[in-house]
Amino acid sequence: MAALFLKRLTLQITKTENNCIRSCWGKYVVQKMAPAQPSPIASAPRPSCLTYAKAFSTEDTRDEQKKKKKDDTAFSNIGRKISERIIHVLDEQGNDLGHMHRATVIRLMDERDLRLVRRDPGAEPPKYQLLTGAQIHHERLRLRELEKAKPRPRPTLTKELTFSSNIGQRDLDTKTKQIQQWIEKNYRVQITVKKGKSAEEPESKTEDIFNQILQTMPGRATFSSKPQPIRGGKAVMCVLRPLSRRKRQCLQQLRGPQEETL
């Protein structure tokens, strides 16, 4: 009886072990055949470390340099931002206070209610002046008026005129007047004279026309480009320009004594 019980117990244990092995093997095979699932921890996006970086551009650098240069040359109150330790100081009356420590300058500004402006940043040490707010305002207005009074060079424009060497005297006089008006307005005038088809026309006729036009404007115009052939010799071109103010004054001074002697 005991032997039969042991036999059944052995069979039951063997069957249980086989079931366990089969179950574990089946799960292993299913996991191998199924596509791999990413781990929730591994697939989680990593938080990026955000840092501020200023974009670099050559244009931005040039703009900053221009702005800095403008600020350095501008006449304005710099406040308490004195970068130099020792500076040369003038008071509001223009009196020389000598070299002073920036802390002393700031104390003077507070005691006398004054502002500090740059006078000569390139000096050694840099030169500054203490001024009142009203003095700074009047100085800005004065500098603005001086800037407006500066003569601004205008771009030189060129007018073009073309006609034939067979032109009549009346038409030539009309074109000469037009050229004179342009010269008075400080225009350059490019004149092109086409040679006539007549074989009897002298070679110097076109140059004579240019000289005739120029002689009507003594002391006012000259050749910027002397007559030269173009278009394979079929035309001659020159450029007239107005004389500068200095040259006009010199010519007038030279003509004065000559007219007195006459």
Side-chain angles (χ1 to χ4, degrees):
M1 192 70 181
L4 181 60
F5 176 76
L6 290 173
K7 185 177 181 180
R8 288 182 178 180
L9 182 60
T10 303
L11 292 174
Q12 185 67 27
I13 293 172
T14 304
K15 185 177 180 180
T16 302
E17 289 178 354
N18 292 336
N19 290 335
C20 290
I21 293 172
R22 190 181 299 110
S23 177
C24 293
W25 179 256
K27 290 182 179 180
Y28 175 77
V29 172
V30 170
Q31 289 179 357
K32 283 291 184 180
M33 296 179 63
Q37 296 292 334
S39 173
I41 299 178
S43 62
R46 295 183 179 180
S48 58
C49 182
L50 301 178
T51 58
Y52 174 77
K54 186 177 181 181
F56 174 77
S57 173
T58 55
E59 295 183 358
D60 295 341
T61 306
R62 292 172 185 170
D63 293 340
E64 290 178 359
Q65 291 176 352
K66 289 180 180 179
K67 185 177 180 181
K68 184 178 180 181
K69 185 177 181 181
K70 185 177 180 181
D71 294 341
D72 291 342
T73 57
F75 187 84
S76 61
N77 175 28
I78 66 169
R80 297 171 174 266
K81 298 179 180 179
I82 307 174
S83 58
E84 298 84 6
R85 185 170 175 269
I86 302 296
I87 61 175
H88 189 181
V89 184
L90 305 176
D91 66 2
E92 65 272 24
Q93 303 299 329
N95 299 321
D96 192 349
L97 301 181
H99 298 175
M100 301 179 66
H101 192 279
R102 57 188 173 190
T104 307
V105 177
I106 293 174
R107 186 173 65 252
L108 280 176
M109 293 168 59
D110 294 337
E111 292 175 355
R112 300 164 64 175
D113 191 20
L114 298 174
R115 281 75 172 169
L116 189 67
V117 298
R118 292 186 180 95
R119 281 302 187 182
D120 189 1
E124 186 61 36
K127 184 181 290 186
Y128 291 79
Q129 185 174 6
L130 295 168
L131 295 175
T132 62
Q135 286 177 320
I136 293 176
H137 177 69
H138 290 311
E139 185 67 14
R140 286 177 180 172
L141 293 178
R142 187 184 69 84
L143 294 176
R144 191 178 303 171
E145 293 299 327
L146 290 176
E147 188 67 24
K148 289 181 180 179
K150 287 182 179 180
R152 297 183 179 179
R154 296 185 302 173
T156 304
L157 302 179
T158 302
K159 297 290 186 178
E160 297 183 5
L161 194 65
T162 303
F163 53 88
S164 174
S165 60
N166 296 329
I167 188 172
Q169 187 61 42
R170 182 176 297 179
D171 293 337
L172 181 60
D173 293 340
T174 302
K175 293 187 180 298
T176 301
K177 290 180 181 180
Q178 180 64 62
I179 295 171
Q180 292 173 355
Q181 293 176 2
W182 287 338
I183 291 294
E184 289 296 329
K185 295 179 180 179
N186 289 328
Y187 290 137
R188 290 174 179 261
V189 184
Q190 177 179 310
I191 308 172
T192 303
V193 178
K194 297 183 291 185
K195 290 185 178 181
K197 297 181 179 180
S198 175
E200 299 178 357
E201 180 178 300
E203 292 291 334
S204 61
K205 185 176 182 179
T206 53
E207 294 187 8
D208 293 340
I209 293 175
F210 291 136
N211 293 327
Q212 181 180 347
I213 294 173
L214 187 60
Q215 288 173 3
T216 61
M217 297 175 287
R220 289 185 294 167
T222 185
F223 283 117
S224 174
S225 174
K226 292 187 177 181
Q228 55 185 351
I230 59 173
R231 302 175 188 175
K234 295 182 180 180
V236 179
M237 185 267 292
C238 78
V239 178
L240 298 180
R241 65 172 178 85
L243 288 175
S244 63
R245 185 176 299 178
R246 176 182 290 183
K247 289 186 177 180
R248 289 185 183 183
Q249 292 176 354
C250 292
L251 289 175
Q252 289 177 359
Q253 293 176 358
L254 290 175
R255 288 178 181 176
Q258 294 178 0
E259 292 178 354
E260 291 177 0
T261 55
L262 294 175

